[in-house]
Amino acid sequence: MIRPVAIVDVSPKLPPELERLLELAYNMRWSWDHETAALFRRLDADLWVKTNYNPVWILGLIDQEKLDAAVNDTAFMASFRQVCDAYDAYMNATDTWYRTHYGEFDKPYIVYFSMEFGLATCLQNYSGGLGVLAGDHMKSASDLGLPLVGVGLLYQEGYFQQYLNQDGYQQERYPINDYSNLPVQPVYKDNGERLVITVPIAAETLHAYVWKVDIGRVQLYLLDATHPNNPPELHNLTDRLYGGDRRMRIRQEILLGIGGIRLLQALNIEPKVVHLNEGHSAFSALERIRMFMKQHPDLSFEEARNILASTSVYTIHTPVPAGLERFGYDLIDEHFPWLWKELGLTREQFHDLGREPMGDYDLFSLPVMALKMSAATNGVSRLHGEVSRNMWQWMFPEVPENEVPIGHVTNGIHVHTWLSREMANLFDRYLDPAWRVEPSLDHIWHDVERIPDPELWRVKSQRRARLVAFARARLRAQLEERGAPQSEVALADEVLNPDALTIGFARRFATYKRATLLFRDIDRLIRLVNDPERPVQFIFAGKAHPHDQPGKALIREIVHYSRMPELRHAIVFLENYDMTVARYMLQGADVWLNNPRRPKEASGTSGMKVIYNAGLNLSVLDGWWDEAYHPDYGWAIGNGEVYPEDQEELQDYIESEALYNLLEEDVIPLFYERRRDNMPHYWISKVKMGMKALAPFFTTHRMVQEYAEKYYLPSLERYERLIAKNAEAGKDFANWLINIKAVWDTIQIKHVQVSKESLTVGESLFVEAVIDLGKLTPNDVAVQLYSGKLDTNGLLIDGEAVDMTADSQSNGAYTFKGQITYLSSGERGVSVRVLPKNPNLTDPLLTGLILWASPDVITN
């Protein structure tokens, strides 16, 4: 092996007239702008495919003659100038949503951390839904003009490339990413040297390069451990996404969290609001606190934590306990003694930051620490918010489940990234032009009714035909690569029917997603796909985690079924699911199938994407579909039942039968119900109703606006209020909270009196409570009347809290009064509770301080 004496970077040589192609190539706006992508495809269509749709690499490979010919091509240069003008108008816009509503800013102040970012097929820095959501979040932040910056890791090998062996069993390969041919750029210091961040990793110091990705108007910064000064075990740290053992994982997350905060400091970016996209980056909270304590040496850890937690947002992404990041204390002790010393904590105090009981033992949990370090936590759909409140209620033992401080912001998609060019052109003709910049406005989508059925159906049929052609080509390539007989390869050109009802299923092959539910009654499936009058076909894609043997077995099972003579023409599994495969499938499928075990799907976003591409959803009522479903827009498998784990076999049987029934009785008949013009008008009507109702909501524009208004902007206000004048307000607030915790046990609810036991609907109940506040005053607490329904054990559930007011004081105790009006009949429970109160307190329930009245103090 020969080590080079020097490394040189060879850049494309472009004619002066085309120099701006490099600027266009290095800004990921091309990944959602059809015209820019078409410009690069026009340079060399074969290279566009060969480079995995990578404009940077195209410019490095293309023949000089083709570039010179482009300069002399009047039509190409006209398109080039139009693209450049549109790019300049986008980048220099002063009327973005953020600037219009909230004014100018000098530097980004919102920092979005994520372990993965899915921006384009050529940049393999993602594994699945979490990364694609992060990529869409960044793109909408750009469109909306948010002062946001992203932080992540750059992986040398990325996530694995999937291929199947002769038996249909998943294999993995890890091609090396050539950063010089990717739309990423190294970051340099003012003196021209590469920017390098250092991070303590156990006994070593890791050196990390910094790379930048331009995503429209916002930037994403990525850390890369392949620095020559790193020892081998650290040099390989950013080789693979989610690769290696637990030690590798915690070290990746140290680099992401602690290295990410140090990166921002090096860039002179002050993180006023930090958004943790999952718990992988939770260590960023500790580094942020450490730096804040250095700036304010008189602050303790608890004071600094109380100040900075009020500016942190944590998004939970999984309701599956196995998907959470937990570590043994041996790894914590190996990596963090330096940090707990600098934070002024003992070993046990540091362990307590993430301690999660696991039955007979504890583990250090990043979600637990993220919850403790954030003032706002959310799930990613309405149902996931409910599931998360149940899942994490153990951290808030005195808080009713419905009030556990975890909200939800339902996911969305970046419409332009996932919309086919043909459908976008159709929208341009019939929708308000504002759909391109404000796709979450309701009235825009009402114009879907103006699209003539024949035009909508023609576009959908074109995309279905393109999907079939793409699937045939991919299948042929798959068979040739694994050395299949030539007779089998030849049959690849005969699979699927461009006019048949096409159903797509593509996602990570975790067992709870039940990829093989469709195959439980194989004879029934054979009858379905071989109906000569009403054919139906299924296209599958997806990867199993390299260590997930049951998930790999599901893929193998589907591949074996697809080789049966009776199913060969109608069942296809496409290898190496990525954003390109996803686009073809989502834009071409008539129906998107999703059948996880409820409620284990946090959100899911693939089904959202078919809405905009004139497709329909057939799904279990889980994740986003639980709040989106209506019979006018698609189909629901089951009625939202949740089965115990010991009845999973029964559940699979019942829901597979429901799936077959829906296909036979509803989906297939509706698709083939044609009039004399051979078009399914009722089907098209269903597509339009779904688009009108769902398209305005399930966008990342709406989602990012919701994050901004619900979390980012309030967090910014708290940050600026608390750190002003050497953090005087922050210190006062932190000390107030520390004092409240110290004296909370001195509060006593001595007596509660209710006005009567029987009321009629519309009548009010009056309640008085005598409370000894000990060393506190009414300004420090919120006293609330709490009333709600009773469960079978006589316990309050789904209660409503009403603030009570201090009326008088006597002998050191305060009398509080309140009332509640009942608008429906039934038995209701009544109680009184005390919570801390402070204008800087984001949510009093996050403090864990809550005092309930004892039943023996209540009188009538």
Side-chain angles (χ1 to χ4, degrees):
M1 185 172 292
I2 301 172
R3 188 172 295 277
V5 296
I7 298 174
V8 296
D9 187 11
V10 182
S11 300
K13 182 182 178 182
L14 298 176
E17 298 90 339
L18 297 178
E19 283 182 350
R20 292 202 70 191
L21 281 175
L22 267 180
E23 183 182 1
L24 296 174
Y26 275 105
N27 192 306
M28 299 297 296
R29 181 175 173 270
W30 58 260
S31 68
W32 72 87
D33 183 72
H34 291 120
E35 299 307 318
T36 309
L39 189 73
F40 286 105
R41 185 188 303 112
R42 190 169 179 173
L43 279 173
D44 191 319
D46 292 335
L47 269 185
W48 180 245
V49 176
K50 179 182 176 181
T51 60
N52 222 359
Y53 317 100
N54 180 351
V56 173
W57 199 7
I58 282 180
L59 296 180
L61 292 176
I62 194 168
D63 292 337
Q64 194 67 37
E65 293 80 3
K66 290 191 176 182
L67 291 174
D68 294 337
V71 172
N72 296 314
D73 184 336
T74 305
F76 178 87
M77 293 304 294
S79 296
F80 175 57
R81 284 188 290 271
Q82 289 176 356
V83 166
C84 288
D85 289 345
Y87 174 83
D88 290 338
Y90 178 88
M91 296 298 292
N92 299 319
T94 58
D95 60 347
T96 64
W97 174 82
Y98 184 88
R99 282 188 164 91
T100 300
H101 289 81
Y102 302 104
E104 296 294 324
F105 59 88
D106 294 326
K107 291 182 178 179
Y109 66 82
I110 305 162
V111 183
Y112 183 84
F113 279 90
S114 184
M115 195 73 170
E116 50 177 298
F117 288 87
L119 296 165
T121 304
C122 64
L123 188 54
Q124 294 287 331
N125 230 49
Y126 65 96
S127 69
L130 176 72
V132 170
L133 176 80
D136 281 11
H137 191 115
M138 296 293 293
K139 292 171 184 178
S140 278
S142 168
D143 290 341
L144 296 167
L146 253 66
L148 179 145
V149 62
V151 175
L153 303 180
L154 182 62
Y155 302 99
Q156 184 84 49
E157 299 174 3
Y159 202 54
F160 69 91
Q161 302 290 297
Q162 178 198 55
Y163 68 99
L164 305 181
N165 65 15
Q166 288 281 14
D167 193 38
Y169 198 74
Q170 174 181 293
Q171 307 290 301
E172 298 88 29
R173 63 167 67 97
Y174 293 88
I176 301 296
N177 287 319
D178 180 2
Y179 299 156
S180 63
N181 284 318
L182 290 173
V184 300
Q185 300 176 81
V187 177
Y188 295 93
K189 296 188 289 187
D190 292 339
N191 62 7
E193 296 178 357
R194 285 288 299 270
L195 179 60
V196 176
I197 305 299
T198 59
V199 181
I201 302 287
E204 305 284 351
T205 296
L206 180 143
H207 298 75
Y209 288 125
V210 181
W211 298 81
K212 182 183 73 167
V213 183
D214 287 319
I215 308 169
R217 304 178 181 113
V218 302
Q219 284 73 45
L220 167 63
Y221 292 96
L222 301 171
L223 292 164
D224 157 30
T226 60
H227 192 282
N229 290 353
N230 289 331
E233 66 272 16
L234 296 184
H235 190 275
N236 299 330
L237 190 60
T238 52
D239 276 2
R240 297 177 182 177
L241 172 60
Y242 303 135
D245 57 13
R246 301 308 295 163
R247 178 173 281 100
M248 176 76 79
R249 286 293 287 273
I250 197 170
R251 290 180 171 188
Q252 285 186 334
E253 287 157 0
I254 290 169
L255 176 58
L256 173 63
I258 295 177
I261 293 295
R262 294 186 177 193
L263 158 66
L264 295 168
Q265 183 185 46
L267 295 172
N268 198 26
I269 294 174
E270 184 179 6
K272 298 180 180 180
V273 180
V274 172
H275 186 169
L276 310 179
N277 190 41
E278 249 310 333
H280 306 114
S281 53
F283 292 125
S284 63
L286 300 181
E287 179 65 4
R288 197 173 171 219
I289 291 170
R290 187 189 71 83
M291 287 187 173
F292 195 67
M293 291 172 66
K294 281 191 173 295
Q295 295 168 6
H296 304 278
D298 55 332
L299 285 179
S300 68
F301 170 81
E302 192 62 23
E303 289 171 327
R305 187 191 75 82
N306 288 336
I307 294 170
L308 293 182
S310 66
T311 66
S312 179
V313 181
Y314 168 43
T315 296
I316 303 171
H317 277 273
T318 178
V320 181
L324 302 176
E325 285 288 48
R326 303 182 178 104
F327 299 100
Y329 292 112
D330 58 330
L331 291 173
I332 301 302
D333 293 344
E334 178 184 358
H335 292 93
F336 292 110
W338 71 273
L339 184 54
W340 69 59
K341 288 175 185 175
E342 293 209 23
L343 294 175
L345 300 177
T346 66
R347 173 179 177 271
E348 284 300 308
Q349 287 172 329
F350 192 91
H351 286 185
D352 287 342
L353 296 177
R355 192 181 302 277
E356 181 176 2
M358 305 298 293
D360 297 334
Y361 61 97
D362 296 342
L363 289 175
F364 191 94
S365 164
L366 293 193
V368 167
M369 185 169 72
L371 277 161
K372 289 181 177 180
M373 298 290 174
S374 303
T377 301
N378 69 279
V380 289
S381 68
R382 183 178 62 197
L383 177 60
H384 182 228
E386 296 171 8
V387 172
S388 298
R389 288 189 285 276
N390 174 267
M391 187 173 178
W392 297 105
Q393 188 178 19
W394 66 269
M395 290 184 64
F396 308 91
E398 295 295 319
V399 178
E401 183 178 312
N402 67 304
E403 289 190 287
V404 169
I406 299 176
H408 80 274
V409 176
T410 300
N411 282 345
I413 68 155
H414 187 256
V415 176
H416 297 298
T417 294
W418 299 102
L419 187 68
S420 74
R421 187 177 187 180
E422 296 87 348
M423 195 64 69
N425 292 338
L426 196 60
F427 291 167
D428 283 337
R429 288 201 295 276
Y430 293 101
L431 270 56
D432 185 323
W435 81 269
R436 284 196 171 270
V437 291
E438 297 180 285
S440 56
L441 294 179
D442 281 343
H443 75 269
I444 287 173
W445 298 97
H446 294 167
D447 286 343
V448 167
E449 287 294 350
R450 297 178 57 233
I451 303 175
D453 285 3
E455 290 195 47
L456 184 62
W457 189 244
R458 181 166 56 251
V459 168
K460 187 64 194 179
S461 298
Q462 288 171 351
R463 291 306 313 187
R464 188 190 314 108
R466 288 192 65 184
L467 169 58
V468 168
F470 174 80
R472 288 172 175 173
R474 287 291 283 246
L475 182 59
R476 169 180 276 273
Q478 291 169 197
L479 293 171
E480 289 175 341
E481 185 171 345
R482 74 175 73 130
Q486 191 58 42
S487 59
E488 186 178 353
V489 174
L491 289 174
D493 294 332
E494 300 176 11
V495 301
L496 304 177
N497 176 352
D499 297 317
L501 171 60
T502 303
I503 299 178
F505 180 102
R507 53 195 30 87
R508 183 167 57 89
F509 266 66
T511 51
Y512 75 85
K513 295 178 183 282
R514 298 189 299 181
T516 56
L517 191 69
L518 180 69
F519 299 90
R520 284 186 63 90
D521 188 338
I522 199 66
D523 292 333
R524 199 169 177 184
L525 179 60
I526 289 172
R527 289 196 299 272
L528 275 177
V529 303
N530 286 290
D531 185 332
E533 301 298 324
R534 303 187 306 183
V536 59
Q537 56 200 14
F538 299 86
I539 302 177
F540 290 83
K543 298 177 178 179
H545 187 279
H547 302 312
D548 184 1
Q549 302 306 321
K552 290 184 176 184
L554 294 178
I555 294 174
R556 178 179 175 273
E557 187 177 345
I558 292 174
V559 171
H560 278 238
Y561 281 125
S562 71
R563 292 173 177 172
M564 293 176 59
E566 303 92 335
L567 297 176
R568 182 190 300 273
H569 64 288
I571 307 286
V572 170
F573 184 91
L574 299 180
E575 295 178 14
N576 203 32
Y577 184 48
D578 60 13
M579 291 179 71
T580 296
V581 176
R583 279 198 188 91
Y584 274 98
M585 291 185 65
L586 293 159
Q587 294 169 4
D590 299 295
V591 174
W592 200 250
L593 176 62
N594 187 28
N595 42 238
R597 285 197 177 93
R598 189 180 195 267
K600 294 185 177 182
E601 184 91 289
S603 170
T605 57
S606 56
M608 300 175 188
K609 293 158 189 162
V610 304
I611 296 168
Y612 303 89
N613 288 290
L616 297 171
N617 279 274
L618 169 59
S619 175
V620 166
L621 292 172
D622 200 6
W624 77 281
W625 191 236
D626 180 72
E627 63 192 274
Y629 168 70
H630 186 280
D632 289 345
Y633 317 149
W635 296 274
I637 302 170
N639 294 306
E641 301 90 347
V642 176
Y643 293 76
E645 288 189 8
D646 61 357
Q647 293 185 14
E648 287 183 351
E649 180 65 25
L650 174 64
Q651 178 184 7
D652 291 353
Y653 169 74
I654 291 173
E655 293 183 346
S656 67
E657 289 295 304
L659 172 57
Y660 290 129
N661 290 340
L662 283 168
L663 289 170
E664 293 168 345
E665 298 171 16
D666 290 340
V667 181
I668 297 171
L670 188 66
F671 184 84
Y672 286 105
E673 185 176 340
R674 307 295 171 96
R675 297 181 186 172
R676 293 183 64 183
D677 58 6
N678 196 35
M679 284 201 310
H681 289 279
Y682 290 116
W683 181 278
I684 296 170
S685 174
K686 200 176 188 75
V687 166
K688 288 182 176 179
M689 285 189 287
M691 201 178 288
K692 283 191 300 181
L694 304 179
F697 185 78
F698 290 101
T699 73
T700 40
H701 276 50
R702 184 273 313 158
M703 182 192 82
V704 172
Q705 286 176 346
E706 193 172 338
Y707 273 116
E709 294 172 339
K710 195 173 181 178
Y711 297 130
Y712 298 163
L713 292 163
S715 293
L716 173 66
E717 291 174 8
R718 284 191 294 271
Y719 182 86
E720 293 181 335
R721 185 169 64 244
L722 292 175
I723 67 149
K725 299 180 180 178
N726 197 32
E728 289 179 9
K731 294 171 187 175
D732 290 343
F733 167 63
N735 287 322
W736 171 85
L737 188 51
I738 291 169
N739 178 62
I740 284 283
K741 291 179 178 179
V743 303
W744 189 256
D745 289 342
T746 65
I747 303 173
Q748 296 181 59
I749 301 177
K750 303 178 75 68
H751 180 68
V752 176
Q753 183 173 358
V754 297
S755 59
K756 56 177 67 177
E757 288 186 338
S758 299
L759 300 93
T760 57
V761 172
E763 196 174 353
S764 295
L765 179 73
F766 296 89
V767 178
E768 288 188 5
V770 178
I771 302 176
D772 184 347
L773 295 179
K775 298 180 180 181
L776 302 178
T777 73
N779 292 329
D780 296 315
V781 298
V783 177
Q784 295 179 331
L785 163 61
Y786 191 86
S787 181
K789 296 179 181 179
L790 300 173
D791 66 12
T792 54
N793 297 314
L795 300 177
L796 266 168
I797 57 171
D798 298 330
E800 174 188 359
V802 178
D803 286 332
M804 303 176 73
T805 55
D807 182 68
S808 60
Q809 180 187 13
S810 177
N811 299 323
Y814 294 86
T815 298
F816 290 82
K817 293 184 177 181
Q819 70 180 78
I820 187 168
T821 302
Y822 293 104
L823 302 178
S824 60
S825 61
E827 197 172 37
R828 299 288 187 272
V830 177
S831 189
V832 170
R833 68 183 185 184
V834 184
L835 298 167
K837 182 179 70 175
N838 186 290
N840 292 311
L841 197 59
T842 312
D843 188 334
L845 296 172
L846 282 167
T847 64
L849 303 177
I850 183 169
L851 177 66
W852 292 90
S854 172
D856 58 13
V857 303
I858 302 251
T859 62
N860 298 321

